[in-house]
Amino acid sequence: MTDLICIQCKYVGRPKKIKRGSVKLEVLAWLMFPLGLPYTIWRLFGRTLVCANCGSSTLVPSDSPTGKRLLDIVEKELTGEKDPPPAPPEEKREITEETPTEKPIATERIKPVQNPNEW
Ligand SMILES: [Zn+2]
């Protein structure tokens, strides 16, 4: 049996088995006699797994994608490793409308001076 991870408290391990339904309802069902028997049987067969730590039934198997992600988080918390800093927001490029910028146009191109010794 694979370990289960509790989503609530991130407990990893074997869950507890509990009977579904409630004792109160079972007693009530037995008071209305014919209902008690099927209810008891339903409870016996319908055992649910709950977290052994907090009793929550929100358990995922550790080999499921969700379980693996949770395990990752648990391990990081145990090792005190912090999550990588969030990626910096994309630089908002201010879309400037094409305004004619009056840049001085270089009329004379400076030719790279060739070293005559290279040739
Ligand atoms: Zn739990």
Side-chain angles (χ1 to χ4, degrees), residues 5-11 50-59:
I5 305 167
C6 172
I7 294 172
Q8 297 296 319
C9 68
K10 298 188 183 75
Y11 166 85
V50 294
C51 171
N53 187 39
C54 70
S56 158
S57 59
T58 48
L59 299 167

Side-chain angles (χ1 to χ4, degrees), residues 5-6 16 20 34 41 45-47 50 52 57 60 63 68 71 78 84 88 97 100 109 113 119:
I5 305 167
C6 172
K16 276 200 298 194
R20 66 178 165 184
I41 294 166
F45 284 98
R47 282 179 188 166
V50 294
S57 59
V60 287
D63 52 359
K68 279 175 185 169
L71 268 178
L78 285 176
E97 284 176 34
R109 282 193 178 180
V113 184
W119 298 92

Side-chain angles (χ1 to χ4, degrees), residues 25-41:
L25 261 173
E26 195 173 9
V27 171
L28 256 170
W30 275 106
L31 287 175
M32 300 176 271
F33 174 67
L35 288 172
L37 191 63
Y39 189 76
T40 303
I41 294 166

